[in-house]
């Protein structure tokens, strides 16, 4: 029984977050191919969130608890803000890529753990006591993970393994890259907004611990915001017609398997592991993307990707070790005090007393 509980607490969240990053890479890869076939970005995100909402709403009614916690206006305001942040993050990402490149986007993506850790400390979701080995492990592990991702992006190195598959030419967006500084700024804003959304979502799930309800309301909120904006940006009705090819596959995959799966996983594991744990997996997408490019696009595997991946995994281990030790210390302290604890929110301990007092 103890081994199974340890598996649920550590292995399952790790596997789920790795699957999320793999899903994100798959969505980006499909969109690259669909964009070449004429799928516009605003049409893509509109269909993605609309289909995701249509799937999440019935799932919420089927699998939600019979007795839901009381819903308050303060929760609704925060969910609306969360949806607005999600929409602005997607727009910042898209416009940033218009003025820069996927390589720069991958580099700036490594800032997410740092942004999230700073915000988590400010909102008291993470402790910052540099005298403790757990804090040192988290800080050093975060920096090492960022360094590994930057090595994978910025250092190509010699080819160590050539793909046997024919190389596939794949372009992204095809727009002018005349304002690199503006693109980098928008991409950094995107990562800051993503970090803020993790913090806000964790707070919402403390106030209203119904993961599927929060996930479906978030998707619905982004859909309500996205559709009118997208119709103003893409007024040509022919752009909204999905042909039975890669464009339809991309929209369906992103809506049913992308948005639903990712939103549900974040909602389930944010209160369990905290925002930093979620964000530390972001640089992993660079290694996954390199492997996918080697397997599916025939790109060569370079030394920089391997070295960066190894460094990144070392950083992962340090952060995960620090969090595991923190959780053990909190659980032991709770048992010694005989206090009532919620094992689902070990990283948001400062809010537990308030939650149980209501």
């Amino acid at each position: 029984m103890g081994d199974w509980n340890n598996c649920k607490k550590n292995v399952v969240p790790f596997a789920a977050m790795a699957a999320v990053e793999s899903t994100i890479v798959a969505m980006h890869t499909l969109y690259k191919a669909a964009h070449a076939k004429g799928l516009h970005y605003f049409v893509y995100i509109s269909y993605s969130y609309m289909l995701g909402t249509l799937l999440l709403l019935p799932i919420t009614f089927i699998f939600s608890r019979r007795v839901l916690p009381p819903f308050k206006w303060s929760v609704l305001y925060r969910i609306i803000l969360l949806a607005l942040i999600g929409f602005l993050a997607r727009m910042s990402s898209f416009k940033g890529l218009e003025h820069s490149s996927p390589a720069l986007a991958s580099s700036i993506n490594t800032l997410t753990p740092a942004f999230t850790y700073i915000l988590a400390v400010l909102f008291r979701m993470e402790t910052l006591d540099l005298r403790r080995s757990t804090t040192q492990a988290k800080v050093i592990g975060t920096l090492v993970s960022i360094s590994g991702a930057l090595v994978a992006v910025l250092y190509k190195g010699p080819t160590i393994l050539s793909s046997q598959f024919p190389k596939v030419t794949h372009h992204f967006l095809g727009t002018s890259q005349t304002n690199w500084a503006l693109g980098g700024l928008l991409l950094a804003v995107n990562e800051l907004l993503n970090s803020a959304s993790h913090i806000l979502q964790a707070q919402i799930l403390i106030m209203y611990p119904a993961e599927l309800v929060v996930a479906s309301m978030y998707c619905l909120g982004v859909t309500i915001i996205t559709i009118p904006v997208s119709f103003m940006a893409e007024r040509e009705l022919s752009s909204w017609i999905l042909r039975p090819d890669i464009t339809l596959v991309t929209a369906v995959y992103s809506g049913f398997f992308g948005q639903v799966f990712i939103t549900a996983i974040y909602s389930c594991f944010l209160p369990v592991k905290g925002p930093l744990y979620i964000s530390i997996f972001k640089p992993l997408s660079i290694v996954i993307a390199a492997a996918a490019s080697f397997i599916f696009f025939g790109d060569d595997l370079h030394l920089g990707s391997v070295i960066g991946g190894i460094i990144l995994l070392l950083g992962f281990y340090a952060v995960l070790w620090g969090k595991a030790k923190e959780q053990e210390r909190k659980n032991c302290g709770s048992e010694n005090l005989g206090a009532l604890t919620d094992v689902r929110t070990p990283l948001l301990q400062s809010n537990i007393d308030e939650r149980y007092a209501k």
Side-chain angles (χ1 to χ4, degrees):
M1 182 64 68
D3 292 339
W4 171 243
N5 289 334
N6 181 67
C7 178
K8 288 173 62 178
K9 291 179 181 178
N10 298 304
V11 178
V12 173
F14 184 93
M17 293 311 306
V20 164
E21 295 306 318
S22 300
T23 302
I24 292 174
V25 171
M27 285 197 302
H28 290 170
T29 304
L30 283 173
Y31 176 67
K32 289 177 185 179
H35 179 78
K37 292 287 186 179
L39 180 63
H40 296 274
Y41 183 79
F42 287 98
V43 176
Y44 164 67
I45 64 170
S46 295
Y47 278 120
S48 296
Y49 279 103
M50 184 170 59
L51 292 174
T53 302
L54 291 176
L55 182 62
L56 263 177
L57 286 176
I59 290 178
T60 301
F61 284 110
I62 294 172
F63 294 102
S64 290
R65 306 170 183 173
R66 292 184 178 180
V67 180
L68 292 173
F71 194 83
K72 298 182 179 180
W73 285 107
S74 57
V75 175
L76 179 61
Y77 297 150
R78 285 174 170 80
I79 292 177
I80 294 173
L81 178 59
L82 181 66
L84 181 60
I85 291 174
F87 171 77
L88 292 176
R90 296 299 294 269
M91 292 299 101
S92 299
S93 175
F94 172 62
K95 288 298 180 181
L97 280 169
E98 270 192 346
H99 294 286
S100 59
S101 72
L104 181 63
S106 299
S107 301
I108 294 180
N109 187 45
T110 61
L111 294 175
T112 304
F115 283 153
T116 305
Y117 191 64
I118 293 171
L119 290 176
V121 170
L122 291 176
F123 285 93
R124 298 182 180 180
M125 293 183 176
E126 294 284 346
T127 56
L128 185 62
D129 186 356
L130 295 178
R131 295 171 297 180
R132 290 186 175 182
S133 59
T134 55
T135 301
Q136 295 170 3
K138 289 189 297 182
V139 172
I140 294 174
T142 300
L143 296 176
V144 169
S145 296
I146 293 173
S147 302
L150 288 175
V151 168
V153 172
L154 301 177
Y155 174 64
K156 190 173 184 179
T159 301
I160 61 175
L161 193 60
S162 296
S163 176
Q164 302 300 316
F165 298 96
K167 294 186 183 299
V168 178
T169 302
H170 44 96
H171 304 284
F172 187 73
L173 295 179
T175 54
S176 173
Q177 298 178 12
T178 57
N179 199 334
W180 192 272
L182 177 60
L185 178 61
L186 288 171
L187 290 170
V189 170
N190 168 58
E191 300 306 328
L192 181 60
L193 290 173
N194 285 331
S195 300
S197 69
H198 295 329
I199 300 296
L200 181 58
Q201 190 172 358
Q203 290 184 338
I204 292 172
L205 289 168
I206 292 172
M207 300 174 64
Y208 193 77
E211 294 84 359
L212 285 176
V213 175
V214 172
S216 60
M217 291 186 68
Y218 165 73
C219 274
L220 178 61
V222 178
T223 303
I224 293 173
I225 298 172
T226 300
I227 290 180
V229 175
S230 298
F231 268 110
M232 287 187 290
E234 294 290 343
R235 298 182 180 181
E236 188 66 37
L237 292 180
S238 59
S239 301
W240 292 84
I241 300 175
L242 298 178
R243 294 180 296 275
D245 54 15
I246 188 65
T247 58
L248 179 61
V249 172
T250 300
V252 172
Y253 176 86
S254 179
F256 286 176
F257 300 100
Q259 300 302 334
V260 173
F261 177 70
I262 294 170
T263 305
I265 291 296
Y266 282 170
S267 297
C268 288
F269 291 107
L270 262 172
V272 179
K273 291 295 186 178
L276 179 60
Y277 186 92
I278 301 296
S279 66
I280 200 66
F281 281 82
K282 289 298 178 183
L284 183 63
S285 62
I286 297 174
V287 178
I288 296 174
S293 296
F294 172 76
I295 296 172
F296 298 108
F297 292 112
D299 292 344
D300 295 334
L301 185 62
H302 296 275
L303 180 63
S305 298
V306 176
I307 295 176
I310 293 173
I311 297 174
L312 196 151
L313 290 176
L314 291 175
F316 265 137
Y317 177 79
V319 175
L320 296 180
W321 180 86
K323 285 192 159 294
K325 291 298 181 181
E326 271 190 353
Q327 187 169 338
E328 287 179 7
R329 182 184 294 114
K330 288 177 180 179
N331 289 341
C332 291
S334 299
E335 291 175 0
N336 293 336
L337 292 174
L340 179 62
T341 60
D342 185 357
V343 297
R344 298 180 67 244
T345 57
L347 299 176
L348 311 178
Q349 192 72 30
S350 62
N351 297 287
I352 289 179
D353 293 338
E354 178 184 352
R355 173 178 166 184
Y356 277 100
K358 293 181 180 179

